Amino acid sequence: MATATKVLKNFYRDSVSLMQLSSTFAKLPGVEQASAIMASPNNMSLLREAGLLTESVDASANDLLIALQGDADALESALAAAESALKQPPPSSSGGGSSRGLPPRSIEMGLGNMVGANLVLISTPGEYAASEAFKALSLGLNVMLFSDNVELKDEIALKRFAQSRDLIVMGPDCGTAIINGIPLAFANVVRRGVIGVVGASGTGLQQVTCLVDRWGGGISQAIGTGGHDLHRDVGGISMLQGLKALIADASTSVIVLISKPPSPEVAGHVLQAAERAGKPVVVNFLGADPARVRRGNVFAATTLEDAAAAAVALAEGRNPDDAKPKCPPVSIPSKLSPGQQYIRGLYSGGTFCYEATLLLKKELGQVSSNTPVEPGDRLGDVWTSRAHTVIDLGDDLFTRGRPHPMIDHRLRNERLIKEATDPETAVILLDVVLGYGSHADPAGEIVPVVQKAREVAGKAGRDLVIVGFVCGTAGDPQNLARQEAALREAGVILAESNAQAVRMATAVAVGAGAVGGRL
Amino acid sequence: MQAMLQEKLQVLNVGLSSFADSIVMAGGSALQIEWAPPAQGQAEVGRDLARLVNLSVVETANRTAFDAYQSAQPVLRGVGIAGRVIPNMAERMILHSGPPIAWNDMCGPMKGAIVGAILYEGWAEDLAKAESLASRGEIVFEACHHHRAVGPMAGIISPSMPVWIVDNTTQGNQSFCNFNEGIGKALRFGANSQEVINRLKWMGEVLAPALRAGIETLRGLELKTLMAQALHMGDEIHNRNVAASSLFLKRLVPALLKTRTPSNEIAAVVDFIAGNDHFFLNLSMAACKAMLDAAHGVSGSSMVTAMARNGVEFGIRVSGTGEQWFTAPAPIVEGLLFPGYAPSDAAPDLGDSAITETAGVGGFAMATSPAIVKFVGGTPQDAIDNTMSMTHITLGRNNAFTLPPMNFAGSPAGIDIRKVVDTGIQPIINTGIAHREAGVGQIGAGITRAPLACFTQAVSALARAVERSE
């Protein structure tokens, strides 16, 4: 296996475009691994760790670096192909003004072309993101900060500055929002309606908005806050601002709040504000004790699915307690061999992984993960599962030097085959996320691998249960019905939600003799 | 936040362009910013910049500075002898263009011009002795800009040279510039032959007294209106001064005829000016310097008040950061070369004449000067695009300098260091190209751009200055 690199001096492309291109380059003939990145010291060391960069390269942060690994004789032409793909002009921007006019190069310049602008969506590398956000706020614009790797002190400064100017910062690391019916970043196309959501979790927000849509409700606003918002030092500034905005918003009649359990102090503030909302508020603090949440107009939901169901019920004037969706019965395939008893969850959504871990732990005891609920459950070797294991493939450990698993399915595909070869694997649990920003045809990527996994298990005389769910809506560009049909046809048992999928997987595992069953 | 939920969502998208595409696909409104990391990727400078964007202290200071620039009225007051009229001009001092530079570091044309000036002053008898005098440190070299003066190319002003005196009658500041010697072998390009020295002598002995008498008769000459008129006649008053020089001559000749200047001298003076399409350049520069000095020294202002090059370094000064220079290596000028010269013959960018761009003319007013666009590379449409692009890095438009091809909009003026760094759009400069060796002279003309590194340094310095004043 050889490596080859090419430096394009003073050549900038944004990181997500580069990620998408990297995955294209990896499909070039003879190429095993590929990466195109801006050559910052940080990125270079990631490449070195990934084994893609073996020699020293003269490149700086303003240079673009292509690194390929594969057959020595194929690399030269692959490099040339990669370079020419990169040099294609970037797609023309939307509404960019006259052909001779200079395209806007800064937020301030953009404001000259779009005088009514009210939100800046920022997805630059993290080291520049806070500055861009600060400029946007200074110019009187709200911010959605998709970028990650923004320092906590910057987040605090930005949010306090925004608050003082009646503006909001959604993020950093905010993957999803739906504002005035417009999906932003990795968001789904949902029906408009009376349910407003504020979420500190991107996939959590996607799950709730999709389920609301699936069950006939609609969304007024979905406001992302980023995962650190309810950190003690940030104090839930954006969640409180979002809540306040939804309370004042006449078109919102039910509010849903989603987060991992906040610090007690922050939770106290949020719940107090929710109590004074004058509207029903459904709260899903993943893993929190419902008894501590429930009060007056505040309803506690233990799963994202419960939150969506309760919100739809409240919007329709029904009692949310009667709204719990049921898990359809699962018949256990007869071919599961003795010894096949464990669940292996392979998630692209971090919140889905966390929620699954919580639910499985309750039923099965120990569940290992790279992002465990309890430190003791941390996987020693993240590349190898043990007993019940649930993996967040979107974790930094896996995404270094390669695109997020919602865009690039290769890592999960490899892992799926690996799990299928393990004689102890009974159930593989998957999420499939649709919407803007996600892969254009996830089923097309997953189906052949599911077939291969079945073959691998079949040759060893085993059956394999694959349970999944699609987080998406009929309006999403990937076509929900076609995605679900393709997955079903390949033998994937589909649930409506993550929680349902987890319950189905648990039923299979318990039926197969997994310990700790309490169903 | 509340307001946004009541309005149509309009998104500026910084980063991944597919996000903008998705918004538009979903029926929303989005504008993609062609973003690249500001400040050439220096994240810390980017932070300094972010602190300064739309900061009220800077905005207020810029209004003050820009108003001072806009309201300045440069009037040609007369002709003086450098050593007598230029402030703090010492007996054995030579002024040069650009940021300060030591003899050993100077480029060929500047050294050549200094040697010529020493011969002109009679401080040495021959080239070798003049050079040794200069290198021994017996002559003080200072930047023209440190003495309210400007000079094209090498920008050499020695004590007995005649200079223009321009008064800004609004704020009361004064500026100076040397005389234009014409094209070909000239001191400003580093030429120092006897022919060059003889011409300088004639300029001191015949040209200067005649001009002094003529300007006295005129009781001063308003330069801003003359410049405005020249802009309407196809000059951008940096690389093309033929209209302005003609207008000047038209005003001068009747006045000159009323003086006691002998008619043969008047004839020689008129011949000299009529034969030099660049004669007005030095007046344009002095006028621009007077307008910009009026805007200098406003605490907190991010307005550029000088751009100048010494053939080695390009430097800028900013209103809110006082006398400090922010420098970067001088770029090579892209342009057309006279026959027989190669790009490798060109000296790096040289001269104080970028004061014209700093004041919103020259490259900034290129749209109005279709005649020079071929010379500086491109079509009339390119010239309009160049002027338009400068509107994105300037504080406003100079309503005195209107541009007919732009529907009489004012020329973009008041370069804002924040906007330069934020957009990466570099100020454009129309300029001459000097041969890198002393004595050869001009070998072409073209376009260059002010280096970004000057502006990134200035942004950080201004951020510090603003912090200190808080």
Side-chain angles (χ1 to χ4, degrees):
Chain A
M1 191 83 62
T3 58
T5 57
K6 169 119 201 171
V7 177
L8 306 181
K9 282 275 169 200
N10 287 317
F11 192 95
Y12 177 79
R13 288 283 181 271
D14 63 80
S15 61
V16 190
S17 305
L18 289 177
M19 283 180 178
Q20 290 170 332
L21 282 164
S22 300
S23 79
T24 318
F25 298 162
K27 291 181 184 141
L28 291 168
V31 174
E32 281 293 321
Q33 271 205 86
S35 184
I37 49 155
M38 298 309 294
S40 66
N42 209 9
N43 280 342
M44 302 258 275
S45 69
L46 288 177
L47 276 190
R48 256 179 228 110
E49 280 173 35
L52 269 167
L53 192 61
T54 48
E55 65 223 275
S56 80
V57 168
D58 175 30
S60 66
N62 268 25
D63 305 332
L64 198 153
L65 177 64
I66 308 169
L68 304 178
Q69 190 178 55
D71 305 336
D73 46 347
L75 285 184
E76 197 174 322
S77 64
L79 264 188
E83 184 181 353
S84 83
L86 268 165
K87 287 193 167 162
Q88 296 293 316
S92 66
S93 56
S94 332
S98 80
S99 61
R100 304 278 330 202
L102 210 52
R105 309 250 201 118
S106 67
I107 294 171
E108 194 174 9
M109 201 170 152
L111 205 47
N113 293 14
M114 189 188 248
V115 283
N118 40 23
L119 178 81
V120 180
L121 171 50
I122 297 166
S123 52
T124 66
E127 57 189 317
Y128 309 112
S131 293
E132 293 304 320
F134 200 78
K135 282 183 233 173
L137 296 169
S138 299
L139 293 163
L141 301 163
N142 295 287
V143 169
M144 175 166 170
L145 202 44
F146 178 85
S147 313
D148 55 5
N149 294 316
V150 173
E151 288 180 38
L152 193 65
K153 70 171 170 50
D154 286 332
E155 176 170 353
I156 295 166
L158 282 170
K159 288 186 170 175
R160 288 188 180 156
F161 184 62
Q163 197 177 24
S164 75
R165 302 190 155 212
D166 251 330
L167 298 168
I168 192 168
V169 176
M170 294 187 276
D173 206 0
C174 174
T176 308
I178 304 168
I179 303 293
N180 302 345
I182 304 299
L184 298 171
F186 284 36
N188 303 88
V189 180
V190 299
R191 200 179 298 116
R192 294 210 74 181
V194 298
I195 298 169
V197 192
V198 189
S201 138
T203 38
L205 211 57
Q206 282 188 277
Q207 174 81 96
V208 170
T209 54
C210 286
L211 290 176
V212 164
D213 184 271
R214 187 182 284 250
W215 293 332
I219 298 295
S220 59
Q221 308 287 349
I223 298 164
T225 68
H228 313 291
D229 187 64
L230 287 96
H231 188 283
R232 194 169 54 94
D233 295 339
V234 184
I237 293 178
S238 294
M239 181 165 277
L240 287 165
Q241 277 183 292
L243 177 59
K244 192 175 143 198
L246 292 179
I247 292 169
D249 180 28
S251 55
T252 300
S253 58
V254 177
I255 297 170
V256 181
L257 305 179
I258 308 162
S259 171
K260 282 188 188 177
S263 71
E265 190 189 335
V266 178
H269 286 310
V270 172
L271 290 172
Q272 267 170 33
E275 210 176 342
R276 292 193 300 265
K279 300 176 181 182
V281 181
V282 179
V283 176
N284 172 219
F285 288 157
L286 281 172
D289 177 3
R292 288 172 174 266
V293 171
R294 181 76 180 93
R295 63 191 73 186
N297 61 321
V298 179
F299 300 88
T302 48
T303 63
L304 297 164
E305 176 195 67
D306 284 350
V312 171
L314 285 162
E316 291 172 354
R318 291 185 283 117
N319 182 349
D321 297 328
D322 304 335
K324 300 270 188 281
K326 301 281 181 284
C327 174
V330 182
S331 61
I332 302 156
S334 55
K335 284 194 203 152
L336 278 181
S337 311
Q340 278 193 282
Q341 52 177 329
Y342 294 129
I343 296 174
R344 302 285 156 80
L346 304 177
Y347 279 98
S348 58
T351 299
F352 291 140
C353 179
Y354 192 83
E355 187 183 61
T357 315
L358 280 170
L359 294 171
L360 289 172
K361 262 184 87 67
K362 226 161 91 185
E363 303 300 332
L364 302 170
Q366 186 166 26
V367 176
S368 301
S369 176
N370 58 324
T371 54
V373 175
E374 280 165 33
D377 296 341
R378 186 174 295 280
L379 265 185
D381 169 13
V382 297
W383 302 96
T384 309
S385 303
R386 64 170 190 224
H388 298 300
T389 294
V390 186
I391 304 283
D392 172 13
L393 293 160
D395 188 28
D396 290 350
L397 279 168
F398 297 112
T399 55
R400 278 186 186 183
R402 60 161 79 224
H404 193 275
M406 282 186 202
I407 301 173
D408 180 347
H409 287 256
R410 284 176 297 156
L411 190 64
R412 179 155 77 177
N413 291 348
E414 285 162 23
R415 185 68 173 248
L416 208 149
I417 301 297
K418 190 173 176 197
E419 301 297 348
T421 56
D422 182 345
E424 295 193 322
T425 304
V427 189
I428 292 172
L429 192 51
L430 297 172
D431 60 349
V432 180
V433 183
L434 308 186
Y436 286 117
S438 293
H439 195 285
D441 179 21
E445 294 280 314
I446 296 167
V447 165
V449 182
V450 164
Q451 285 163 345
K452 194 174 166 199
R454 289 191 173 292
E455 246 176 70
V456 167
K459 275 188 188 153
R462 295 192 301 271
D463 197 6
L464 193 62
V465 181
I466 301 175
V467 179
F469 68 99
V470 181
C471 177
T473 71
D476 283 335
Q478 291 91 344
N479 192 337
L480 175 69
R482 206 181 60 210
Q483 294 291 322
E484 290 192 333
L487 291 165
R488 275 204 189 94
E489 203 169 312
V492 179
I493 301 167
L494 283 185
E496 286 198 333
S497 71
N498 183 43
Q500 277 188 36
V502 171
R503 284 195 294 268
M504 287 158 80
T506 311
V508 174
V510 169
V515 284
R518 282 199 298 259
L519 277 182
Chain B
M1 166 74 181
Q2 210 71 53
M4 174 172 68
L5 302 185
Q6 311 306 322
E7 298 163 359
K8 182 177 181 293
L9 187 70
Q10 295 191 65
V11 181
L12 295 174
N13 188 48
V14 182
L16 183 58
S17 62
S18 66
F19 285 173
D21 297 338
S22 303
I23 291 167
V24 172
M25 243 193 288
S29 171
L31 177 64
Q32 178 67 20
I33 307 295
E34 299 281 315
W35 186 86
Q40 297 159 302
Q42 303 168 75
E44 264 316 306
V45 182
R47 282 168 175 272
D48 289 334
L49 168 66
R51 285 184 201 111
L52 296 174
V53 166
N54 207 25
L55 188 64
S56 65
V57 53
V58 179
E59 298 300 320
T60 309
N62 281 344
R63 269 194 297 278
T64 305
F66 190 79
D67 285 351
Y69 151 79
Q70 174 86 283
S71 64
Q73 277 301 342
V75 174
L76 174 57
R77 186 56 62 204
V79 170
I81 300 301
R84 290 189 211 142
V85 295
I86 292 182
N88 306 316
M89 182 90 180
E91 208 171 302
R92 285 227 166 172
M93 180 184 281
I94 290 179
L95 306 184
H96 62 79
S97 60
I101 187 167
W103 167 261
N104 285 333
D105 300 329
M106 286 176 187
C107 66
M110 188 171 279
K111 281 186 170 168
I114 284 173
V115 165
I118 291 171
L119 295 176
Y120 168 78
E121 293 289 340
W123 297 338
E125 306 88 68
D126 59 42
L127 289 172
K129 283 181 181 154
E131 206 164 322
S132 123
L133 198 64
S135 62
R136 284 205 310 269
E138 289 184 22
I139 293 162
V140 180
F141 300 114
E142 289 198 357
C144 290
H145 271 289
H146 292 189
H147 295 265
R148 301 182 193 168
V150 277
M153 303 311 286
I156 297 306
I157 304 177
S158 64
S160 51
M161 283 184 186
V163 289
W164 295 115
I165 304 170
V166 171
D167 282 350
N168 166 15
T169 56
T170 313
Q171 284 89 357
N173 56 296
Q174 207 164 46
S175 66
F176 308 91
C177 187
N178 55 11
F179 283 15
N180 195 291
E181 320 151 66
I183 56 166
K185 295 211 183 306
L187 191 77
R188 68 179 186 281
F189 286 106
N192 53 24
S193 60
Q194 195 56 46
E195 178 197 348
V196 172
I197 306 299
N198 288 347
R199 192 189 310 119
L200 289 176
K201 292 275 183 208
W202 175 83
M203 287 167 69
E205 284 157 14
V206 178
L207 181 65
L211 289 172
R212 179 185 296 119
I215 304 299
E216 262 168 27
T217 310
L218 282 173
R219 294 172 187 280
L221 179 63
E222 290 251 2
L223 292 173
K224 212 162 159 180
T225 46
L226 196 154
M227 290 163 79
Q229 212 178 341
L231 286 170
H232 284 205
M233 293 166 72
D235 281 359
E236 38 71 281
I237 12 180
H238 181 177
N239 251 15
R240 181 175 155 102
N241 282 286
V242 58
S245 298
S246 307
L247 289 171
F248 175 74
L249 196 60
K250 198 172 96 168
R251 298 295 300 277
L252 179 74
V253 170
L256 201 52
L257 289 171
K258 288 177 199 145
T259 64
R260 289 163 186 240
T261 312
S263 62
N264 64 326
E265 290 187 7
I266 292 179
V269 165
V270 171
D271 261 356
F272 181 77
I273 298 175
N276 178 5
D277 286 347
H278 275 296
F279 190 75
F280 189 80
L281 171 64
N282 300 45
L283 276 168
S284 164
M285 288 172 60
C288 291
K289 173 71 174 160
M291 293 187 275
L292 289 162
D293 274 0
H296 190 74
V298 181
S299 168
S301 170
S302 58
M303 178 173 158
V304 177
T305 49
M307 296 195 288
R309 317 83 100 195
N310 57 29
V312 177
E313 285 190 309
F314 191 112
I316 67 167
R317 292 214 280 184
V318 176
S319 178
T321 55
E323 303 311 296
Q324 200 176 343
W325 286 94
F326 306 99
T327 62
I332 293 290
V333 181
E334 282 175 37
L336 294 181
L337 296 172
F338 300 153
Y341 294 104
S344 57
D345 295 325
D349 198 17
L350 177 64
D352 287 334
S353 61
I355 196 75
T356 55
E357 278 80 11
T358 320
V361 292
F364 282 50
M366 214 192 293
T368 203
S369 192
I372 68 155
V373 296
K374 280 281 177 200
F375 198 47
V376 296
T379 63
Q381 185 61 50
D382 292 331
I384 289 176
D385 290 348
N386 280 334
T387 292
M388 275 305 294
S389 69
M390 294 299 104
T391 63
H392 300 298
I393 56 167
T394 44
L395 292 169
R397 288 170 178 269
N398 190 324
N399 297 326
F401 296 151
T402 58
L403 310 177
M406 316 279 296
N407 197 20
F408 297 93
S411 72
I415 301 165
D416 185 342
I417 53 170
R418 298 174 303 173
K419 294 182 180 180
V420 173
V421 175
D422 207 1
T423 61
I425 300 172
Q426 298 165 258
I428 197 158
I429 295 165
N430 291 350
T431 196
I433 303 172
H435 198 284
R436 61 166 65 244
E437 282 159 26
V440 181
Q442 184 170 9
I443 60 167
I447 288 184
T448 190
R449 286 179 180 269
L452 273 177
C454 300
F455 298 86
T456 57
Q457 295 166 45
V459 156
S460 289
L462 185 67
R464 296 293 89 75
V466 168
E467 265 165 31
R468 277 195 301 276
S469 70
E470 266 168 1

